[in-house]
Amino acid sequence: MTETTTDLFEPVTLGDIALANRIVMAPLTRARACEDGVPTDLHATYYAQRASAGLIIAEATNITQQGRGYALTPGLWTEEQVAGWKKVTDAVHAAGGKIVSQLWHVGRFSHVSLQPDGKAPVAPSAIKAEGKTFTVDGMQDVSEPRALETDEIPGLIQDYVRAAENAKRAGFDGVEVHSANSYLLDQFIRDSTNKRTDQYGGPIENRTRLTQEIVEAVVGVWGSGRVGIRLSPTTPDAGNTPMDSTPMETYGYLIKQLNRFNLAYLHFVEGATAGSRDLPEGIDLDALRDLFEGPYIGNNGYDLNLAVERRAEGRVDAVAFGRPFIANPDLVSRLQNGQPLAEAERETYYGNGAVGYIDWPEFDRDSLAPAPA
Ligand code: 8OZ
């Protein structure tokens, strides 16, 4: 057990969301939804098992079919999806937890078979990503995207509004705008993927416009204290996407603009998503973080020591753990009590129904009992 005293296990309020502790469950894509994007009873069980997290950020959830880039990921655009999520939020609340929905549009990182009428995925510009995505027919190269027309943007913003309203009807405690990991909003932000010449392309003010307009629209639904945002200034994921050419300026500008919304929190992927915490030369994530005037959730490859240290330095208000929550439904008490963590194999991450999903036991003290002499 760590000797350091820490307030990581004490309550904290992020905006209007009151958390029992500062340990957050990061959004984790697990690909267990039905083909029509409806979450199942397995989801309710899985999230309720993890309700001792101060806050659960539910897995990235497609705002529309157009926003879908991976088979078996859930959505929030149909009544059946809303009803499925309502069972999840009821189960989490009954277990004493809090849960927000992460609103997701993959942009170019999709395959025609996942898109409405088999059409091309949409992106800021017609630049193809590298890599393969999970489709109903297995892994396939992502498809060539088409550039969104300027007059399609108001409809896209309305898609976010509808998903935000649906999240409310589904009983969530708030929403997180997914503007990270080189999905649609991050594709607009980075000059490597945005070559537009309209008011959504070119200078930083233009490339960050869509994220700001969507945050504003979603705040209109939820109020500022129940909306968070996730950014990842340096990750190459998804699609081996090159970084913006001036990330400190670009994300710095965006973060300063976000201050006017008084959001519940800013959530950063520190380094390469699900990878190294190393940062490219010239990147100072703490300096970016310091531009934000509200609560900050740190994420990526944290262990307890790093969480305690970063909290003690005042660098984080809460810490989001991702992969450790897969095999440790009771992660909070394991961290608090210095108990060993179980390790999930990669094969359990995506798909496979209940196996490797809801079958991870809580810590069993008896299993550690010393063998009789
Ligand atoms: C892993 C696999 C598929 C999607 C992200 C939503 O990185 C994801 C994701 C992660 O934000």
Side-chain angles (χ1 to χ4, degrees), residues 191-203:
D191 56 7
S192 61
T193 41
N194 182 345
K195 306 291 181 192
R196 300 176 72 89
T197 53
D198 64 1
Q199 67 268 39
Y200 293 95

Side-chain angles (χ1 to χ4, degrees), residues 27-30 59-61 70 73 102 104 106 109 133 178 180-181 183 230 237-238 273-274 350:
L28 290 168
T29 290
R30 304 297 311 277
E59 66 208 83
T61 297
Y70 304 81
T73 53
Q102 195 197 42
W104 188 32
V106 297
F109 203 85
T133 189
H178 190 341
N181 296 349
Y183 293 112
R230 194 179 212 212
D237 277 359
T273 305
Y350 311 115

Side-chain angles (χ1 to χ4, degrees), residues 106-129:
V106 297
R108 67 180 191 155
F109 203 85
S110 184
H111 185 266
V112 287
S113 66
L114 297 162
Q115 290 290 308
D117 305 320
K119 291 202 180 118
V122 299
S125 302
I127 304 169
K128 194 171 166 294

Side-chain angles (χ1 to χ4, degrees), residues 336-372:
Q336 190 166 15
N337 297 310
Q339 294 160 345
L341 300 186
E343 196 63 60
E345 310 81 40
R346 225 159 217 295
E347 301 73 64
T348 66
Y349 285 9
Y350 311 115
N352 234 7
V355 178
Y357 190 51
I358 58 161
D359 51 3
W360 297 100
E362 297 203 348
F363 177 71
D364 177 6
R365 178 165 296 284
D366 295 341
S367 72
L368 284 191

